[in-house]
Amino acid sequence: MNTLLVMLGGGFGAMLRYVVGVFIMKRFQHPPIPIAMLIVNVIGSFGLGLFLGIFFRELDPIIYESPLFLLIGLGFFGAFTTFSTFSVETMQLLRDGKRKHALIYVLLSVSLSILFFSSAFFLTLN
């Protein structure tokens, strides 16, 4: 049952990531860094922070036993955000000799994702 919950949430998360990514790429056709995945990952981190803050109020490993977390936290947000695509895009920038762009992309992706997650999570605790 747990696997089915993760699969269901993951299917919706991956589908939405694709739709949002295509939407953003059509608006920003030749950005210096992969803006679509940056935005998706930051939105996903914010959403996960809100979700965890509202429904669990803490970051305890016990949440992995919750069907709600498996469906939404691990499944949906796990598939909506993507570290693998981030890695590929970073390597493409490096391959193309755009080291400065790669560094900016990495720093923005990691710092903004953590900032937005923690902001959303702590916002719900007040």
Side-chain angles (χ1 to χ4, degrees):
M1 183 62 166
N2 289 350
T3 306
L4 183 62
L5 290 171
V6 173
M7 183 182 70
L8 231 89
F12 284 109
M15 180 184 62
L16 188 59
R17 175 186 61 207
Y18 173 75
V19 169
V20 171
V22 168
F23 176 81
I24 294 168
M25 285 188 285
K26 285 182 180 179
R27 299 303 168 280
F28 303 95
Q29 294 195 358
H30 300 288
I33 62 171
I35 195 80
M37 278 305 105
L38 173 62
I39 291 171
V40 164
N41 285 336
V42 171
I43 289 170
S45 295
F46 186 80
L48 182 59
L50 282 177
F51 168 73
L52 288 175
I54 290 168
F55 290 99
F56 295 96
R57 316 270 311 153
E58 61 184 335
L59 301 175
D60 192 309
I62 195 138
I63 63 176
Y64 284 90
E65 297 174 16
S66 164
L68 184 62
F69 176 76
L70 293 174
L71 177 70
I72 297 173
L74 194 62
F76 178 80
F77 284 112
F80 182 72
T81 60
T82 173
F83 199 72
S84 56
T85 302
F86 161 77
S87 300
V88 168
E89 291 172 338
T90 301
M91 291 306 296
Q92 288 170 333
L93 288 169
L94 291 170
R95 178 201 63 206
D96 294 344
K98 299 178 179 178
R99 289 193 278 308
K100 189 191 296 187
H101 289 101
L103 179 62
I104 291 168
Y105 181 51
V106 169
L107 291 174
L108 283 176
S109 294
V110 174
S111 61
L112 289 177
S113 292
I114 292 170
L115 176 68
F116 273 70
F117 171 85
S118 58
S119 296
F121 182 77
F122 292 116
L123 181 71
T124 64
L125 299 181
N126 293 329

